[in-house]
C-alpha cells in the first residue's frame, strides 16, 4: 500500500514555525493499528487521516501514542492540503469543507485572512488543583486553576510563562488530557503554552484545540470576543480567535514543508 503524505507547518507564516502536522489522504480506512504505527513513525504531535464521507470528509487524528478526539493544527493542515493540493476532491465547494470527527461536524472555510475553523467551545470551571498538577510547576504558584478538556493554569505574566520549565513526570498520570498555561500578553491579547506528556507530546508547539478552552476564559476576563493570540513555544504560532456563542472560530495560515509517499 502506498499512501500520500503532506507535512505542513500549521499556524505558521514561514517554515520551521507553527506546529508541524502530517496529513494522509485515504480512499478507505485500513486497520487502526496501521494508522497508529504511521503516526508513531512520523513522530509528530499529530498525524491526520481522512477519507471522503457524505458531503465532506471523515477526519481522524493520532499522536505517536493514541487517537485523540480533536486537534486544531492538524485540521488546519488538512484543510490546507485539500484547498491547495487536492482541490479536485472538493468538487463544487471550493472554499468550504465539512469534516466529520469524533467531536462532531467541523466547518472550515477559506477566507482572505486564512483558513477559518469552527470548533466547539470548551467551558471552564474553577477547581482545587491536584497535588501532581502543582508539583509539575516546580514551586511556581498559579493565579487561578481551572479545568475543562485540559487543566488551565493562569500565571502572573508572559515572562513567567516563557521561563517556566515544567516537570513532565508529574503530569504523565493526570486524569485530564494535558496542561495549558496562560497569561495576558504583552503584544497579544493572551499567550499560552501547552503540555501533553501522557500523549507522548511534552510540549505542543501550537494547539488549536486548547484555544477552544482559552478563548471562553479570556472572553470573561477581558470582556471581548475577538482575540489575537500567541502560543509562545520555541517554534511559536499565531492564531486569530473569536467566541461566537458556543463555538470558537480559529483562523490561521499554513506553510508547506514536504510531500512524499509512505510504503507499507
Amino acid at each position: 500500500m502506498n499512501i500520500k503524505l503532506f507535512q505542513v507547518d500549521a499556524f505558521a507564516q514561514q517554515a520551521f514555525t507553527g506546529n508541524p502536522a502530517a496529513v494522509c489522504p485515504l480512499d478507505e480506512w485500513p486497520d487502526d493499528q496501521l494508522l497508529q504505527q504511521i503516526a508513531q513513525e512520523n513522530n509528530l504531535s499529530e498525524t491526520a487521516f481522512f477519507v471522503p464521507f457524505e458531503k465532506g470528509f471523515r477526519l481522524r487524528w493520532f499522536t505517536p501514542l493514541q487517537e485523540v478526539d480533536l486537534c486544531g493544527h492538524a485540521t488546519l493542515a488538512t484543510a490546507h492540503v485539500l484547498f491547495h493540493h487536492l482541490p479536485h476532491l472538493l468538487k463544487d465547494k471550493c472554499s468550504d469543507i465539512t469534516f466529520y470527527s469524533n467531536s462532531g461536524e467541523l466547518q472550515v472555510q477559506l477566507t482572505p485572512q486564512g483558513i477559518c475553523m469552527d470548533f466547539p467551545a470548551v467551558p471552564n470551571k474553577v477547581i482545587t488543583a491536584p497535588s501532581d498538577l502543582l508539583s509539575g510547576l516546580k514551586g511556581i504558584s498559579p493565579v487561578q486553576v481551572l479545568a475543562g478538556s485540559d487543566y488551565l493554569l493562569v500565571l502572573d505574566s508572559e515572562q513567567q510563562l516563557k521561563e517556566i520549565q515544567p516537570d513532565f513526570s508529574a503530569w504523565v498520570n493526570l486524569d485530564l488530557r494535558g496542561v495549558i498555561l496562560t497569561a495576558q500578553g504583552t503584544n497579544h491579547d493572551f499567550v499560552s503554552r501547552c503540555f501533553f506528556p501522557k500523549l507522548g507530546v511534552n510540549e505542543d508547539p501550537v494547539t488549536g484545540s486548547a484555544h477552544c478552552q482559552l478563548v471562553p476564559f479570556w472572553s470573561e476576563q477581558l470582556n471581548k470576543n475577538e482575540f489575537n493570540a500567541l502560543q509562545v513555544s520555541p517554534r511559536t504560532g499565531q492564531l486569530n480567535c473569536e467566541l461566537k456563542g458556543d463555538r470558537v472560530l480559529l483562523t490561521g495560515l499554513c506553510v508547506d514543508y514536504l510531500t512524499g509517499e509512505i510504503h507499507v
Side-chain angles (χ1 to χ4, degrees), residues 48-59:
F49 302 92
F50 70 89
V51 299
F53 181 76
E54 294 185 359
K55 297 180 180 180
F57 303 90
R58 177 73 170 96
L59 178 61

Side-chain angles (χ1 to χ4, degrees), residues 125-194:
K125 62 178 180 179
V126 177
I127 63 163
T128 300
S131 58
D132 285 349
L133 181 62
L134 294 179
S135 66
L137 294 177
K138 298 180 176 179
I140 292 176
S141 298
V143 176
Q144 197 170 5
V145 180
L146 306 99
S149 299
D150 304 301
Y151 288 107
L152 177 60
L153 307 181
V154 184
L155 300 184
D156 280 326
S157 67
E158 179 173 334
Q159 189 62 33
Q160 185 184 56
L161 177 63
K162 289 178 177 179
E163 293 176 352
I164 193 169
Q165 296 182 351
D167 176 6
F168 299 122
S169 65
W171 290 348
V172 168
N173 296 314
L174 291 174
D175 55 332
L176 298 184
R177 184 182 66 162
V179 180
I180 305 167
L181 305 183
T182 191
Q184 192 161 357
T186 303
N187 298 311
H188 298 77
D189 292 308
F190 65 85
V191 294
S192 64
R193 291 174 68 190
C194 297

Side-chain angles (χ1 to χ4, degrees), residues 33-193:
Q33 182 180 359
L34 177 59
L35 300 179
Q36 188 63 71
Q37 288 173 325
I38 292 172
Q40 185 176 32
E41 185 79 5
N42 289 339
N43 200 30
L44 299 170
S45 60
E46 305 287 346
T47 297
F49 302 92
F50 70 89
V51 299
F53 181 76
E54 294 185 359
K55 297 180 180 180
F57 303 90
R58 177 73 170 96
L59 178 61
R60 299 172 67 186
W61 311 274
F62 287 76
T63 77
L65 294 183
Q66 67 183 68
E67 185 174 8
V68 295
D69 289 337
L70 185 65
C71 176
H73 83 279
T75 302
L76 190 75
T78 303
H80 171 83
V81 167
L82 283 163
F83 285 135
H84 297 287
H85 297 284
L86 304 172
H88 61 281
L89 296 180
L90 299 177
K91 300 178 181 177
D92 57 335
K93 292 191 174 182
C94 58
S95 63
D96 297 277
I97 302 173
T98 299
F99 289 123
Y100 301 89
S101 77
N102 290 348
S103 294
E105 290 187 19
L106 305 175
Q107 302 297 325
V108 179
Q109 184 177 31
L110 183 62
T111 75
Q113 292 73 39
I115 297 172
C116 178
M117 305 181 294
D118 183 338
F119 277 12
V122 176
N124 293 283
K125 62 178 180 179
V126 177
I127 63 163
T128 300
S131 58
D132 285 349
L133 181 62
L134 294 179
S135 66
L137 294 177
K138 298 180 176 179
I140 292 176
S141 298
V143 176
Q144 197 170 5
V145 180
L146 306 99
S149 299
D150 304 301
Y151 288 107
L152 177 60
L153 307 181
V154 184
L155 300 184
D156 280 326
S157 67
E158 179 173 334
Q159 189 62 33
Q160 185 184 56
L161 177 63
K162 289 178 177 179
E163 293 176 352
I164 193 169
Q165 296 182 351
D167 176 6
F168 299 122
S169 65
W171 290 348
V172 168
N173 296 314
L174 291 174
D175 55 332
L176 298 184
R177 184 182 66 162
V179 180
I180 305 167
L181 305 183
T182 191
Q184 192 161 357
T186 303
N187 298 311
H188 298 77
D189 292 308
F190 65 85
V191 294
S192 64
R193 291 174 68 190

Side-chain angles (χ1 to χ4, degrees), residues 170-234:
W171 290 348
V172 168
N173 296 314
L174 291 174
D175 55 332
L176 298 184
R177 184 182 66 162
V179 180
I180 305 167
L181 305 183
T182 191
Q184 192 161 357
T186 303
N187 298 311
H188 298 77
D189 292 308
F190 65 85
V191 294
S192 64
R193 291 174 68 190
C194 297
F195 307 93
F196 306 99
K198 71 185 293 181
L199 301 181
V201 182
N202 281 344
E203 180 164 9
D204 195 34
V206 193
T207 315
S209 61
H211 286 74
C212 296
Q213 188 170 340
L214 284 160
V215 169
F217 170 77
W218 284 110
S219 179
E220 289 187 4
Q221 302 303 307
L222 301 179
N223 194 31
K224 57 189 290 188
N225 290 331
E226 295 186 19
F227 308 89
N228 182 263
L230 182 70
Q231 195 155 327
V232 291
S233 67

